[in-house]
Amino acid sequence: MSDFTSNFWSVYVTAVTVIGIAACLFLLWFSGKAKAMTAHDNTTGHVWDGDLREMNNPLPRWWVGLFVITIIFSAVYLAFYPGLGASAGKLGWTSSGQFQAEIAKGEADIAPIYARFDAMSAEDIAKDPQAHAIGERLFMNNCSQCHGSDARGSKGFPNLTDADWLHGGSPEKIMETLNQGRVGQMPPMAAAVGSGDDVKNLANYVLSLSGSPHDSVRANLGKSKFAACAACHGSDGKGNPALGAPNLTDDIWLHGYGESAIINIVNNGKVNQMPAQVQKLSPAQIKVLSSYVWGFSNTGVAK
Amino acid sequence: MNAPASTAEKKIIPIVASPDKGSIAPPPGADEETIALYEAHQKIYPRSVSGYFSKWRWALVFLTQLVFYGLPWLEWGQRQAVLFDLGARRFYIFNLVLYPQDFVYLTGILVISALSLFLFTAVAGRLWCGYACPQTVYTEIFLWLEKLAEGDRSARMRRDAGPWTLDKVWRKAAKQCMWIAVGLWTGFTFVGYFTPIHSLGMELFALSMGPWETFWVLFYSFATYGNAGYMREQVCKYMCPYARFQSAMFDKDTLIVTYDELRGEPRGGRSKKADLSTLKLGACIDCSLCVQVCPTGIDIRKGLQYECIGCGACADVCDTVMDKMGYARGLVKYSTQNAVNQRWSGADILRHVLRPRVLVYSSVLLAVVLAMLVSLWMRAPFKVDVERDRSTLARIVSGGRLENVYRLQIMNARETHQTFEVSAEGLPDLTLSTDSSMEVGPTESRWIAIRVQLPYEGATPGSHPIHFTVKSAPDAAVVTEKSVFIVPR
């Protein structure tokens, strides 16, 4: 209620609530008795159409008691919980407080489960069936949106099940990726490479590195232009995990396969981002998750 | 509805107990006065009764309670035979394992229950109320315990009116102890349907029952105690919705507990030896026993009333009186309005059973029962859900093949391991690139990522319907689920 500049609405709501409850009580008391013609035969004495008569079927008093109990309940409820305008109630209950309490309870509940994995190495966690089940759920809820349900990624989103790692594939590196996120940056290189034809030649050279179908004449012409790329991808094109520069000699194409896709990347560059998870997941969860992801390419455990 | 044809001048609409004779028109110059519209509860002291219908009622009490109290203790293999495991969302009914997806069977049971209620009510009135309703059954048990502790109607009335003596205190205390014991046992049994009752019993003895289990045991105990011990007929009269709409199923050929007014009136006391023909009296000796035994406190001689739960206690007690008087039985009996008014025999009543309403109810009921049985019979012992991958629409993988990812949830509804064989059909050259065979543990539900591939060359862009076929290896049951394969432009 602090959103309001004056306390008018608070007073208004309080008044409506209190008057409403009081009116219920008054109605209950007021309608307990009625003036009626009585025929002393459990009818009110009212007669229509000669023989149609109104019976007096009183409400059982215990049911009136139930109404009174609801009124008492509402008074007690309003004393303890927020309900009367801006009043917070004796218990100071809020829905966000309830939410925080539930989160704390949830974390306390799962703490003993994760405690088991504290002392375990990533390799052992990856083989543990319970950790596998937890990891699978964490992956489905937090990672599969980009990397796919089977962790094999798609265009722009790395495949996590192969042995190719942009930033290194050790459990520690994966954990670092999860915690801090990653930004993969390839600057537009067209200016450094030269004309459009040069870029096309370079693309063919890049294709030749992995033995993919290419035009060998153009590849030979483009070889010299690779110097512009070697700073990051290495002179042999094998990439550099420290920079997150992809290996160009394997058959894995994160941003598309073929000449035109490579030309596009060289001309326009690419910024690719993996968001940090440190705010979202607890350290214990990240440990289990990174071991689980590491396990895709390193253990024989079927996924 | 209750007014016999012979008393044509009495045209009160009988939605409630009709007033006594002689007070039909308001007396001239009736007083206007203030009347109370809230009524204090008047305690009813039903007299115990024995007889034909009473035996039936007790038989039904034993039968229903044997099932209710006994069922959770039955073991089936390694588990409780009937267990509704809400936490794990598995419902076990003997060899049937149901998932929440099988909710339609619960709907089926409810529809069958409702239609049976309609059918029984149309044929024989409030059979459910009088014999099988938990409210009646527990009231019967609680009344019996009350009689054990405090004696029958007259003794109870006398003691309640008298001062608090030691005798009264210990009798009331004994009754309360028995009531609370039965209530607690009922609450415990109820929770035993949802939590394995053996471990619940252990927890009870170790005083380590969970908070929710404790709550529900106490809540259900209190409800039993309050409804069967104190509320009794008030539940039927003021709370039960069925009491309010059962008249929609009634007609003049419906069996009801009814007083044969033509034979009974004029009523009056007489000596056993007196000659009926000279007395100008009917068969009713006005002993008021039918009123004393009535659990809802009505006078059946005023005709059919909505409070009448059709238990037949009045018929039982009247028959014993008729026997003593040497008159024919059946002054109060199960009969139909048409039969009473038109002096039909039992055969005539039978001839009027098959009315359109009864035929419609029975045929619909039969159809639903059959549909339910057939559906249960043909049910595959597992379920499959197919979900397309949340993000990857389609991708090209090495070898130039187009790949779509799906998640299959296979729910094993057997208590043994099952091996499943998955295949995808619907497009030429469609292949699985994942293992097509998988094992799912007993009553386990497993998600599996499935990759389906298509040669990229020649695939038309767009979404193509395909279907997954999942075969269970042990018994070759097959479930087919639809999905789509997406080819990007």
Side-chain angles (χ1 to χ4, degrees):
Chain A
M1 283 285 175
S2 55
D3 322 54
F4 296 111
T5 47
S6 80
N7 66 347
F8 168 78
W9 287 110
S10 172
V11 172
Y12 176 79
V13 169
T14 307
V16 168
T17 312
V18 171
I19 292 171
I21 293 171
C24 285
L25 198 60
F26 174 73
L27 186 70
L28 207 56
W29 170 76
F30 177 74
S31 57
K33 289 189 186 333
K35 257 199 181 338
M37 230 171 15
T38 53
H40 303 288
D41 59 353
N42 199 32
T43 71
T44 56
H46 301 145
V47 180
W48 294 271
D49 295 341
D51 57 358
L52 188 59
R53 298 180 300 141
E54 183 184 22
M55 305 221 45
N56 174 24
N57 283 315
L59 185 71
R61 201 178 283 159
W62 57 262
W63 215 324
V64 179
L66 293 184
F67 283 128
V68 172
I69 289 173
T70 60
I71 289 171
I72 294 171
F73 175 86
S74 68
V76 172
Y77 183 88
L78 289 172
F80 284 101
Y81 289 93
L84 284 177
S87 144
K90 274 251 179 285
L91 294 180
W93 185 94
T94 60
S95 55
S96 63
Q98 170 107 6
F99 174 65
Q100 295 303 335
E102 300 234 345
I103 288 187
K105 188 181 175 295
E107 278 171 2
D109 281 349
I110 57 172
I113 301 171
Y114 282 100
R116 235 191 84 210
F117 308 123
D118 261 358
M120 284 165 72
S121 72
E123 288 78 4
D124 289 339
I125 295 176
K127 287 182 195 123
D128 186 89
Q130 192 191 10
H132 188 266
I134 294 174
E136 185 174 6
R137 279 192 283 275
L138 287 173
F139 187 87
M140 288 313 301
N141 287 329
N142 298 289
C143 316
S144 68
Q145 290 80 354
C146 294
H147 294 284
S149 299
D150 62 349
R152 282 167 187 257
S154 61
K155 192 178 168 186
F157 303 104
N159 180 348
L160 306 177
T161 65
D162 57 18
D164 183 48
W165 295 94
L166 289 172
H167 301 274
S170 67
E172 295 74 28
K173 281 286 171 192
I174 296 174
M175 201 188 283
E176 196 180 295
T177 305
L178 279 168
N179 272 324
Q180 297 158 15
R182 296 285 184 190
V183 178
Q185 208 154 14
M186 156 97 187
M189 297 299 286
V193 174
S195 68
D197 213 38
D198 289 334
V199 172
K200 193 166 182 160
N201 294 340
L202 174 64
N204 275 282
Y205 174 70
V206 170
L207 281 169
S208 75
L209 289 175
S210 55
S212 306
H214 62 281
D215 181 332
S216 54
V217 178
R218 280 184 177 277
N220 273 325
L221 290 171
K223 185 171 182 179
S224 60
K225 299 290 178 190
F226 194 73
C229 316
C232 295
H233 293 283
S235 55
D236 54 359
K238 288 206 185 271
N240 183 355
L243 295 170
N247 181 353
L248 304 177
T249 65
D250 58 15
D251 196 18
I252 293 162
W253 302 97
L254 182 57
H255 299 293
Y257 170 73
E259 195 189 73
S260 62
I262 298 172
I263 291 173
N264 183 37
I265 290 279
V266 171
N267 284 337
N268 302 318
K270 182 87 191 174
V271 177
N272 209 27
Q273 190 157 14
M274 151 92 190
Q277 305 293 318
V278 72
Q279 299 293 328
K280 225 165 118 187
L281 300 171
S282 74
Q285 284 175 323
I286 285 187
K287 181 170 183 184
V288 171
L289 189 53
S290 53
S291 309
Y292 173 75
V293 170
W294 177 83
F296 285 145
S297 46
N298 291 285
T299 62
V301 178
K303 86 150 254 89
Chain B
M1 195 192 258
N2 68 324
S6 62
T7 53
E9 78 280 1
K10 189 176 162 187
K11 280 194 280 184
I12 295 161
I13 296 173
I15 49 168
V16 290
S18 41
D20 288 323
K21 282 186 172 184
S23 58
I24 287 111
D31 303 326
E32 199 176 60
E33 56 179 85
T34 305
I35 52 172
L37 293 177
Y38 304 148
E39 175 188 54
H41 175 212
Q42 286 183 352
K43 195 172 172 185
I44 291 173
Y45 295 87
R47 189 190 186 97
S48 71
V49 63
S50 61
Y52 179 75
F53 300 115
S54 160
K55 282 200 186 76
W56 267 111
R57 193 163 51 257
W58 274 109
L60 264 295
V61 168
F62 281 116
L63 190 73
T64 53
Q65 296 320 291
L66 194 70
V67 171
F68 176 73
Y69 290 116
L71 209 52
W73 296 99
L74 264 185
E75 292 288 308
W76 188 268
Q78 298 298 304
R79 58 160 170 88
Q80 191 167 315
V82 176
L83 179 68
F84 305 106
D85 191 342
L86 294 177
R89 293 176 198 86
R90 303 279 187 282
F91 311 107
Y92 305 96
I93 303 169
F94 297 99
N95 67 348
L96 210 59
V97 180
L98 297 176
Y99 277 76
Q101 281 85 344
D102 293 308
F103 220 70
V104 66
Y105 294 116
L106 180 66
T107 315
I109 289 173
L110 290 179
V111 170
I112 289 173
S113 306
L115 285 171
S116 322
L117 194 63
F118 298 167
L119 177 62
F120 293 146
T121 307
V123 173
R126 295 174 72 169
L127 275 186
W128 165 257
C129 300
Y131 298 92
C133 174
Q135 181 62 25
T136 297
V137 164
Y138 287 104
T139 301
E140 193 73 12
I141 295 171
F142 274 50
L143 265 172
W144 176 69
L145 294 174
E146 190 168 62
K147 191 184 150 202
L148 275 187
E150 297 187 38
D152 206 0
R153 174 185 156 93
S154 50
R156 293 206 299 272
M157 289 174 87
R158 216 180 313 113
R159 195 170 290 112
D160 275 2
W164 281 92
T165 60
L166 191 64
D167 174 70
K168 183 170 170 176
V169 168
W170 83 255
R171 281 177 187 279
K172 292 262 175 197
K175 178 183 83 176
Q176 291 296 334
C177 288
M178 291 191 288
W179 278 8
I180 290 169
V182 173
L184 283 173
W185 190 248
T186 309
F188 174 77
T189 306
F190 178 73
V191 174
Y193 279 90
F194 302 93
T195 301
I197 202 164
H198 283 106
S199 54
L200 191 69
M202 301 289 189
E203 287 171 22
L204 181 67
F205 282 114
L207 296 177
S208 64
M209 227 156 47
W212 280 112
E213 282 149 4
T214 313
F215 170 79
W216 283 111
V217 167
L218 293 180
F219 181 86
Y220 205 83
S221 307
F222 177 74
T224 309
Y225 169 85
N227 284 341
Y230 292 97
M231 297 305 287
R232 291 188 184 166
E233 84 289 347
Q234 301 277 313
V235 174
C236 309
K237 280 164 70 175
Y238 299 111
M239 297 177 183
C240 178
Y242 174 52
R244 298 283 159 176
F245 71 77
Q246 44 94 13
S247 58
M249 277 90 78
F250 271 53
D251 56 33
K252 289 197 164 167
D253 289 315
T254 298
L255 278 176
I256 48 170
V257 178
T258 184
Y259 167 68
D260 190 343
E261 196 169 292
L262 290 178
R263 193 188 137 196
E265 298 296 313
R267 67 185 80 152
R270 81 290 306 266
S271 150
K272 194 175 169 181
K273 294 174 199 107
D275 179 16
L276 258 189
S277 55
T278 58
L279 273 174
K280 297 197 172 137
L281 281 175
C284 177
I285 65 164
D286 209 8
C287 64
S288 82
L289 277 175
C290 55
V291 180
Q292 294 181 28
V293 297
C294 182
T296 58
I298 58 168
D299 186 347
I300 192 66
R301 295 171 298 177
K302 288 178 184 172
L304 178 62
Q305 293 147 64
Y306 85 98
E307 293 97 331
C308 173
I309 60 167
C311 67
C314 48
D316 273 345
V317 79
C318 190
D319 279 348
T320 62
V321 172
M322 291 296 111
D323 287 351
K324 264 185 212 143
M325 295 299 293
Y327 300 163
R329 284 177 162 215
L331 180 59
V332 179
K333 64 186 170 191
Y334 264 100
S335 186
T336 67
Q337 280 186 310
N338 275 338
V340 170
N341 295 341
Q342 296 164 30
R343 321 310 299 166
W344 284 353
S345 67
D348 288 328
I349 296 176
L350 270 182
R351 212 168 301 132
H352 286 82
V353 165
L354 294 179
R355 311 185 291 282
R357 153 204 303 274
V358 173
L359 293 176
V360 170
Y361 287 154
S362 0
S363 46
V364 177
L365 178 64
L366 197 69
V368 176
V369 169
L370 275 179
M372 177 112 165
L373 289 179
V374 168
S375 150
L376 270 176
W377 179 256
M378 294 179 36
R379 179 176 176 267
F382 63 97
K383 299 191 167 299
V384 179
D385 273 348
V386 177
E387 224 177 64
R388 276 190 52 83
D389 185 63
R390 293 189 205 176
S391 63
T392 319
L393 216 51
R395 63 187 171 212
I396 298 178
V397 294
S398 56
R401 290 174 78 80
L402 201 56
E403 191 172 78
N404 275 205
V405 183
Y406 303 84
R407 295 190 82 209
L408 259 62
Q409 188 184 27
I410 300 187
M411 291 162 270
N412 185 356
R414 269 193 205 292
E415 290 176 86
T416 48
H417 276 273
Q418 285 197 81
T419 311
F420 297 99
E421 196 67 39
V422 180
S423 60
E425 291 105 36
L427 283 174
D429 304 320
L430 207 61
T431 51
L432 293 189
S433 67
T434 32
D435 201 358
S436 68
S437 140
M438 57 214 52
E439 197 172 296
V440 183
T443 74
E444 191 187 62
S445 142
R446 208 179 141 194
W447 282 103
I448 294 137
I450 294 279
R451 298 195 302 279
V452 179
Q453 292 186 348
L454 197 66
Y456 187 44
E457 303 306 321
T460 29
S463 97
H464 305 279
I466 60 163
H467 57 266
F468 286 93
T469 306
V470 182
K471 263 193 202 116
S472 154
D475 44 20
V478 176
V479 169
T480 309
E481 278 290 320
K482 283 185 287 191
S483 192
V484 289
F485 190 95
I486 293 189
V487 179
R489 272 166 227 288

